Amino acid sequence: MRMRMMASVLVALTGCMAEASDDGVDVQDQVGDLVNTSRVHAAALVAGVNGTACTASPFNCKLRADGGSRVTTASGLDSWGIALGASVRDGNGTAMITQTSSDPSPRMTFNFGQTRALAGKAHALALSTSNGSSGWYPLDHILGETSFRNQVGEVNAKDPGRGSMACYEIANTSDPTLELKKVVFDSQEGIDGHERAGDYLPIVRNNGNRSANLVFSVPGFSLGGATVDHFPHGTKYQRVSVPTDSGLPSITIPLWVQDSAGRFRTQSGTMRFFYGYVRSAADGVKRFGWMAEDALVVSSGCT
């Protein structure tokens, strides 16, 4: 049934793609929970529950409406000098790898509003770490810690309060054919750059283990697709019902591959996102956010 439904949706999407312009118009161009993100326009953002700049759902929002997804320095840089040698931790507080660098002046980029107490000290969510993944890094290893604390802010995804759905866990496999497809229409990041479907899958990291991102927003909507936590395979993910513009408790986006001109404008498959939470083993706190269905397998025992 799911395959027949998606087949008919893809036919409908292909039909409306033929009329799509590069400028885009309105996020309401959707069939079922599948949104034609090639037509999403930044002007369509509205206030929601998780923020003041949202689209397709009041829980699908930018980390902050008045800036990007990164913690910036007082001078406007989006990276911070760090001291090496501390552990990069996952959302359960487990050390994944020790941060190293060949750069004589190592720096890290951190996502806005994301701090947690792990292993007895404050941590912030770093993006590109020595693990080849996001992860939590201690604030006392960020140069200019006081300034960082003043700049980082606090943003947490919220509970829709509409009830639980199925229990999942992060898979110990991923589909390599999905990894290099882009989640952003006409992505300028290049074949090996960011905005890949693989950014939302449990891929093998530098520590040899699979792990995946919990994100604040569904990619493809010019919201940033920002990561808010990172968990290893086997971590339970409780899906919850969430309001969306389609009326369905999920959001599906098209995936893109290169056309004859080398631009990512040819649609190739889709990726569906669920909203839910991980109850962190570090402190028992529910960490809400979106995860790709392709990153999950049905499980039991969610709490």
Side-chain angles (χ1 to χ4, degrees), residues 2-56:
R2 165 76 177 162
M3 293 301 294
R4 289 198 299 272
M5 177 185 280
M6 287 307 298
S8 63
V9 169
L10 288 175
V11 169
L13 179 64
T14 303
C16 68
M17 290 279 181
E19 301 176 0
S21 67
D22 284 353
D23 326 349
V25 284
D26 197 321
V27 72
Q28 298 301 325
D29 184 10
Q30 61 185 48
V31 180
D33 70 346
L34 178 60
V35 182
N36 180 357
T37 53
S38 71
R39 297 172 65 90
V40 172
H41 197 288
L45 300 181
V46 297
V49 176
N50 276 352
T52 58
C54 311
T55 191

Side-chain angles (χ1 to χ4, degrees), residues 162-184:
R162 292 163 58 106
S164 297
M165 299 182 73
C167 175
Y168 294 84
E169 66 182 61
I170 297 175
N172 196 21
T173 61
S174 64
D175 183 352
T177 63
L178 284 180
E179 291 179 11
L180 296 182
K181 294 181 181 183
K182 296 293 186 177
V183 294
V184 173

